[in-house]
């Protein structure tokens, strides 16, 4: 049985001792209105209300993520090429298909880390930050900036949650998920890339260059 959130529940009989719960619960199909959403299950995993594990994680191949601007913009309003050293900083986080971003230090992060480390001895990181500086050279009438692409990796697995007392009619619920996050540089031969990009100024930017404060100057501003 499938919901809009691709939620699956156990179909086996769960034999629970009388001393633990005092019942024998059979995971039988529940009515649609009794089924939780994937977000509700993940919220219980994050809060600890549900005792959760991330089962059977499968590591995907590393790939290079989309490049994005990590520095301010450098405007060259002069008649000659201009060079300037610019600092940049880039923080890349993680997300999962059923619950948005993975919060650093949150309950979800620790559960994923435990599951992946136990299976692969692979150090999964929910966030990665790099900072550095680079010399940017910009032609007259152009805008330059620094762009960076992070090595990324996907992990697919299934969340299993166990409740001390039945919730939504069952002790166990299962949610398939795909986690996407930064990977160490060099994973599967992939390396993060830092490049300088440039483009011609727009008409409005050229007007800005013609202003008294920026005429015949090189200046920066946030992107």
């Amino acid at each position: 049985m499938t919901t809009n959130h691709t939620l699956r529940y156990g179909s086996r009989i769960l034999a629970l001792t009388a001393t633990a719960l005092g019942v024998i619960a059979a995971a039988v199909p529940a009515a649609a209105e009794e089924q939780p959403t994937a977000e509700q299950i993940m919220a219980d995993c994050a809060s600890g209300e549900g005792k959760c594990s991330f089962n059977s994680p499968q590591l995907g191949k590393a790939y290079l993520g989309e490049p994005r601007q990590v520095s301010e913009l450098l405007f060259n309003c002069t008649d000659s090429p201009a060079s300037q050293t610019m600092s940049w900083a880039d923080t890349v986080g993680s997300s999962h298909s059923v619950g948005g971003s993975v919060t650093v230090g949150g309950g979800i992060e620790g559960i994923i880390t435990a599951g992946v480390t136990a299976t692969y001895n692979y150090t999964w990181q929910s966030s990665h930050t790099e900072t550095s500086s680079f010399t940017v050279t910009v032609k007259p009438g152009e805008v330059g900036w620094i762009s960076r692409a992070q090595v990324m990796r996907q992990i697919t697995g299934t969340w299993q949650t166990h409740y001390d007392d039945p919730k939504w009619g069952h002790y166990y619920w299962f949610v398939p998920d795909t986690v996407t996050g930064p990977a160490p540089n060099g994973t599967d031969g992939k390396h993060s890339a830092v490049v300088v990009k440039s483009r011609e100024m727009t008409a409005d930017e050229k007007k800005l260059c013609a202003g008294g404060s920026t005429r015949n100057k090189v200046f920066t501003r946030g992107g």
Side-chain angles (χ1 to χ4, degrees):
M1 187 171 184
T2 305
T3 68
N4 291 335
H5 297 275
T6 322
L7 204 65
R8 298 186 287 117
Y9 52 82
S11 60
R12 64 185 183 279
I13 295 178
L14 307 175
L16 306 175
T17 66
T19 55
L21 295 171
V23 296
I24 295 178
V28 297
E33 62 271 20
E34 296 175 342
Q35 296 186 23
T37 64
E39 287 80 2
Q40 287 174 310
I41 294 293
M42 297 312 301
D44 283 355
C45 287
S47 68
E49 181 178 347
K51 297 177 177 63
C52 296
S53 58
F54 189 59
N55 297 341
S56 304
Q58 300 292 320
L59 290 178
K61 287 290 185 181
Y63 64 94
L64 198 60
E66 291 295 322
R68 59 182 185 172
Q69 179 185 331
V70 294
S71 73
E72 292 185 323
L73 297 173
L74 180 64
F75 291 78
N76 186 357
C77 298
T78 73
D79 295 326
S80 303
S83 296
Q84 183 168 309
T85 299
M86 301 179 68
S87 297
W88 61 267
D90 187 28
T91 297
V92 180
S94 297
S95 62
H96 58 133
S97 59
V98 298
S101 61
V102 178
T103 304
V104 177
I108 296 298
E109 179 193 36
I111 298 170
I112 298 172
T113 300
V116 174
T117 300
T119 304
Y120 293 98
N121 195 27
Y122 169 77
T123 303
W124 178 80
Q125 51 184 349
S126 61
S127 180
H128 179 75
T129 299
E130 282 195 21
T131 60
S132 189
S133 60
F134 211 82
T135 299
V136 178
T137 300
V138 182
K139 296 178 181 179
E142 291 193 352
V143 183
W145 67 93
I146 299 169
S147 181
R148 181 176 181 272
Q150 169 70 39
V151 178
M152 305 291 287
R153 199 171 200 178
Q154 290 189 329
I155 306 170
T156 58
T158 300
W159 292 96
Q160 174 184 320
T161 187
H162 168 237
Y163 296 99
D164 290 335
D165 297 304
K167 191 168 185 180
W168 297 292
H170 302 288
Y171 288 98
Y172 291 83
W173 288 91
F174 300 87
V175 183
D177 196 8
T178 299
V179 181
T180 303
N185 207 30
T187 301
D188 292 335
K190 302 295 183 181
H191 297 269
S192 298
V194 179
V195 297
V196 173
K197 293 189 174 183
S198 63
R199 59 169 174 79
E200 290 188 6
M201 292 185 191
T202 65
D204 287 341
E205 289 168 343
K206 289 179 179 179
K207 290 179 182 178
L208 186 63
C209 266
S213 61
T214 57
R215 183 179 300 171
N216 299 323
K217 291 184 178 180
V218 177
F219 69 98
T220 61
R221 68 175 182 179

